[in-house]
Amino acid sequence: MTDRHLHPAVAARLAASADHAKPGTCRVCGANVLTARAGRVAALDVVADPNPVTAATEQAVRAAGGLTWHLITTGLGAQRITWRGATAIRAGPPKCPVLADHTCPPQPVQERLL
């Protein structure tokens, strides 16, 4: 059965559950982000910064408890986000851009009024 034979609501749910990267904005800080649902069985909702990170930045993100992701471009031009684990990191330089979890910048704290 192809997508054109699916009920539109079912097709929309399938598209929402795919690991395709979708541009958007952070609901908290308004920054540009990429979102996806990475994985098929125990999928994670990913919100990543769209700019690739360096190896040093990736180490800092992972040391702080964050996750990093591969941004894979398929032969048809679709972009997918997949998890980047320790095995992929040890394998050497990545073959595709590496993204980091999005972290909102610190928000200013209003001083207490006297």
Side-chain angles (χ1 to χ4, degrees):
M1 184 178 256
T2 62
D3 284 350
R4 66 177 172 226
H5 294 103
L6 291 176
H7 186 278
V10 173
R13 291 200 63 184
L14 285 173
S17 68
D19 56 0
H20 295 355
K22 298 167 203 70
T25 56
C26 175
R27 291 179 287 185
V28 176
C29 68
N32 291 330
V33 295
L34 291 176
T35 61
R37 179 160 287 172
R40 296 286 184 212
V41 177
L44 295 173
D45 288 327
V46 177
V47 179
D49 287 323
N51 299 322
V53 297
T54 63
T57 304
E58 180 180 22
Q59 286 180 338
V61 167
R62 293 181 66 84
L67 297 175
T68 54
W69 309 93
H70 289 287
L71 180 62
I72 299 170
T73 303
T74 66
L76 298 174
Q79 292 186 316
R80 297 177 49 230
I81 292 179
T82 60
W83 180 61
R84 181 168 161 79
T87 304
I89 294 169
R90 284 193 300 268
K95 296 179 175 115
C96 54
V98 175
L99 306 177
D101 277 341
H102 172 69
T103 304
C104 295
Q107 299 295 317
V109 178
Q110 183 175 353
E111 293 294 325
R112 197 165 115 186
L113 298 174
L114 297 177

